[in-house]
Amino acid sequence: MKTRYSFVDETRLREFDEVFLKAGEIIRKGGLVAFPTETVYGLGANALDKAAVKKIYVAKGRPSDNPLIVHISSLPELYGVAEDVSPLALKLIDAFLPGPLTMIFKKKPIVPRETSGGLDTVAVRFPENVVARRFIRACGVPVAAPSANTSGRPSPTSAGHVLKDLNGKIDMIIDGGSSRLGLESTIVDLSRETPTLLRPGSITVDMLKNVIGELKIDETILKKPSQDLRPLAPGMKYKHYSPLCDITIIKGDTNAAESKIKELTAEALNQGKKCGIIASDSDMGLFEGCGAAVLELGSKGQPETAAAGLFAVLRRCDDLGLDCAFIRAFPEEGVGLAVMNRLKKAAGYKIIDAE
Ligand code: TXA
Ligand code: MG
C-alpha cells in the first residue's frame, strides 16, 4: 500500500488534482486503485489491459469466470465498449444514469475476455459519485472494478474495510468516506430478449418497470439457488457477503420475532457462544440486558438505512468475535428486496419462522 488519500469535502475536489493524476497514472501503468462509489468501494484496473485485470482476480482471490463491471465517466464511453445500445437502454440511461444501475450489453471486441469472464457480453456502469467519476476521467480508459473486498467477504463501504481486506495487495486507496447507498448496483441484462434483473439494488423493480415496462427477474433472487437453479450473473453463485459469524434471519411479526430472538439468544449463550442481535435503532431497547451484543442497523420502516449499514454491521460481528447473530427479516419490497438478497446469502439461507 503506497498511498491513501481522504476526501472530507467533495466540493474541494479540485484541490486534489494531484491525487487523481497519480491514480490515473497507476491505472494506465497497469496497477490497481480502490475508489469510492455511491454503492460500495470498487477495485479498479484498466478494463482494456488483460494483465492489469488479472491482478484484480489475484488481489481479491476471485474465480476467473466471474466477469467484472466496466466503469465509465461519461455516456459516449459506453459506445466504446458495448454493441447494440437499444432504445430501451437509452430510456434507462435517461432515467437513472449516472447512478447505481449496471447494464449488460453485447461486448465490443476491444474488451478482453479477462474482463468479461469469457462471456461475449459486458456489464457497464456510470457511477454518480463525483470522486468515482473524477477518478475514472483521470484514468482516460474504462475502469474494470469489482467490489474492493476479498472474494466472499462483505463488500466494503469504507476505505477502512478496503484496507482491512487488501492492504499490501493494491497500489492506492482513494478515501471518499462512507458509501451513501451501501449495496452494490442493480444489474439489468439488456443482451437478452427480455430485460432481466440479475441483481437487485437501490434502483428497485418498480422503478425499472415504470421506465421499461416488462422486466424478468432472475429466479435466484427470490429462491435459493441450487444445482438446477443457477443465477444468471456468474458472481451470484458464489458464497458471498459472509462474515465468519453465523447469521440467522428470523421471520414473523414484531412480538413473535422478538420472543424467538430472545429464546435463540438464551440458548446460544447457554452453549457458551458469544452472541449478537442486529436491530433497528428503535428496536435495540427490546434486547437490552439479554446478554448479547446489540448492534444497530438502520431505522425501522426505512430499508434504505438498513441497506447503507448492512455490510458494515456484518463486518462488525466479526470484529467483535461473535459466534452467532440474529436479525429480523425485512419485507422484500422496494430496497428491502436487495437488503434481503444480501442478508440471505450472508446467513447461508438460514431463516427461522417465528410463528
Ligand atoms: O455497485 C457495484 O456494482 C460495484 C461498484 C464497485 O461499482 N461493483 C460490483 O462488482 O459489485 P462485483 O464484481 O462485486 O459484482 C459484479 C456482478 C457479479 O455478480 C458478476 O458476475 C456480474 O456482476 N456480471 C458482470 N459482468 C456480467 C456479465 N457480462 N453478465 C452477467 N453478469 C455479469
Ligand atoms: Mg462483489
Side-chain angles (χ1 to χ4, degrees):
M1 186 71 44
K2 290 180 191 132
T3 340
R4 180 173 166 196
Y5 293 102
S6 247
F7 292 98
V8 182
D9 177 0
E10 289 184 357
T11 59
R12 289 175 46 212
L13 270 193
R14 243 168 295 148
E15 291 175 30
F16 296 96
D17 273 352
E18 243 177 75
V19 174
F20 291 108
L21 275 175
K22 181 165 182 171
E25 202 178 303
I26 291 173
I27 293 292
R28 284 190 301 282
K29 284 189 175 156
L32 302 182
V33 175
F35 62 100
T37 83
E38 67 276 20
T39 57
V40 300
Y41 274 69
L43 178 58
N46 179 352
L48 308 181
D49 176 346
K50 291 177 199 178
V53 162
K54 278 190 183 159
K55 289 184 192 166
I56 290 182
Y57 289 92
V58 174
K60 279 184 60 96
R62 180 177 174 109
S64 60
D65 70 342
N66 189 2
L68 304 173
I69 296 176
V70 174
H71 294 66
I72 56 175
S73 62
S74 74
L75 276 176
E77 293 165 60
L78 169 63
Y79 295 89
V81 293
E83 302 268 17
D84 301 342
V85 178
S86 64
L88 215 60
L90 293 178
K91 277 191 183 179
L92 287 173
I93 289 169
D94 203 36
F96 302 120
L97 298 194
L101 174 69
T102 295
M103 293 184 290
I104 293 176
F105 300 96
K106 198 164 166 252
K107 84 171 182 70
K108 284 238 159 97
I110 192 173
V111 180
R113 293 173 66 79
E114 283 73 8
T115 299
S116 69
L119 301 176
D120 57 6
T121 52
V122 61
V124 185
R125 169 150 142 70
F126 176 18
E128 164 229 284
N129 180 289
V130 290
V131 178
R133 279 195 277 156
R134 181 74 184 79
F135 160 66
I136 300 162
R137 191 147 42 88
C139 295
V141 289
V143 174
S147 48
N149 52 300
T150 298
S151 212
R153 295 263 299 144
S155 294
T157 53
S158 73
H161 297 162
V162 179
L163 198 60
K164 186 136 200 194
D165 281 15
L166 299 177
N167 195 5
K169 299 181 174 174
I170 62 180
D171 300 299
M172 179 173 172
I173 298 177
I174 302 174
D175 184 344
S178 291
S179 308
R180 184 169 66 83
L181 299 170
L183 296 182
E184 307 89 341
S185 60
T186 302
I187 303 181
V188 176
D189 191 345
L190 296 173
S191 71
R192 295 169 184 273
E193 204 164 288
T194 310
T196 307
L197 180 72
L198 304 192
R199 181 172 73 183
S202 301
I203 308 273
T204 64
V205 170
D206 283 345
M207 288 161 78
L208 293 166
K209 282 187 174 168
N210 276 340
V211 173
I212 55 171
E214 199 183 0
L215 178 74
K216 265 199 190 165
I217 297 180
D218 181 347
E219 283 185 75
T220 62
I221 290 171
L222 303 166
K223 284 191 223 152
K224 182 179 172 177
S226 65
Q227 281 294 83
D228 305 324
L229 189 65
R230 287 173 174 270
L232 298 172
M236 300 288 276
K237 73 173 177 276
Y238 293 108
K239 193 170 150 61
H240 239 95
Y241 313 119
S242 308
L244 300 169
C245 168
D246 188 18
I247 306 278
T248 305
I249 303 170
I250 314 297
K251 260 176 134 165
D253 74 26
T254 311
N255 291 336
E258 179 192 336
S259 313
K260 193 70 185 177
I261 289 175
K262 284 180 173 163
E263 179 194 320
L264 293 169
T265 300
E267 238 171 63
L269 290 171
N270 253 336
Q271 293 165 6
K273 289 184 181 165
K274 206 170 168 190
C275 193
I277 297 170
I278 301 171
S280 69
D281 52 3
S282 55
D283 277 355
M284 291 174 74
L286 300 176
F287 302 108
E288 246 168 53
C290 68
V294 184
L295 310 181
E296 179 173 343
L297 176 63
S299 300
K300 214 169 184 171
Q302 292 177 261
E304 61 287 351
T305 60
L310 180 66
F311 290 142
V313 90
L314 292 178
R315 281 174 177 266
R316 260 197 80 210
C317 290
D318 283 350
D319 293 344
L320 293 173
L322 300 181
D323 299 305
C324 60
F326 303 102
I327 179 169
R328 255 192 93 186
F330 295 84
E332 289 180 84
E333 325 156 337
V335 180
L337 180 67
V339 175
M340 279 300 282
N341 173 261
R342 308 309 194 273
L343 191 53
K344 283 182 195 168
K345 285 170 193 272
Y349 293 87
K350 188 137 58 86
I351 305 174
I352 294 178
D353 201 334
E355 286 167 31

